[in-house]
Amino acid sequence: MSTFMFEMLEMKNMFEGASSASLLIIDEMGRGTSTYDGFGLSFAISKRIAEEIKGPCLFATHFHDLTSLASTIPTIGNLHVDALCSEQDVTFLYRVEAW
């Protein structure tokens, strides 16, 4: 089974069983596709969760353009995990902050 097909089946199962009382955790949706396809899938899935399911969701992604959803859907917020960066090191602070 391809990565893409596996992701789509995961999303199908999540949507079928999710409600506003569900905590949804999605890590890197769209990783099995091209950049544009992955972004399109991630955008549509994020929007559906926010507007239809209305349950809390943690969505980790490398698609920075998804942050634009927060300007059109008031229930979406953008967060990041803070880190200290120097010339030689990156120190993860394990602190979640608003973007």
Side-chain angles (χ1 to χ4, degrees):
M1 183 182 312
S2 70
T3 304
F4 172 77
M5 180 57 82
F6 187 75
E7 287 181 336
M8 293 302 94
L9 291 173
E10 283 181 324
M11 291 299 103
K12 175 187 170 284
N13 290 334
M14 182 184 71
F15 285 147
E16 286 178 349
S19 73
S20 61
S22 302
L23 171 60
L24 307 174
I25 301 173
I26 302 171
D27 183 30
E28 295 293 344
M29 169 51 57
R31 65 191 175 271
T33 62
S34 70
T35 300
Y36 293 113
D37 291 342
F39 172 75
L41 289 168
S42 296
F43 187 91
I45 289 167
S46 299
K47 192 170 178 183
R48 181 167 178 195
I49 291 168
E51 294 179 338
E52 295 178 28
I53 296 173
K54 299 181 181 178
C57 178
L58 300 173
F59 197 121
T61 184
H62 61 280
F63 297 119
H64 297 281
D65 292 342
L66 282 180
T67 60
S68 67
L69 282 170
S71 64
T72 59
I73 302 174
T75 57
I76 292 180
N78 296 312
L79 305 171
H80 72 278
V81 179
D82 202 14
L84 292 175
C85 300
S86 69
E87 292 286 326
Q88 295 86 15
D89 297 312
V90 175
T91 303
F92 295 100
L93 300 177
Y94 302 99
R95 183 172 56 210
V96 178
E97 296 183 342
W99 186 323

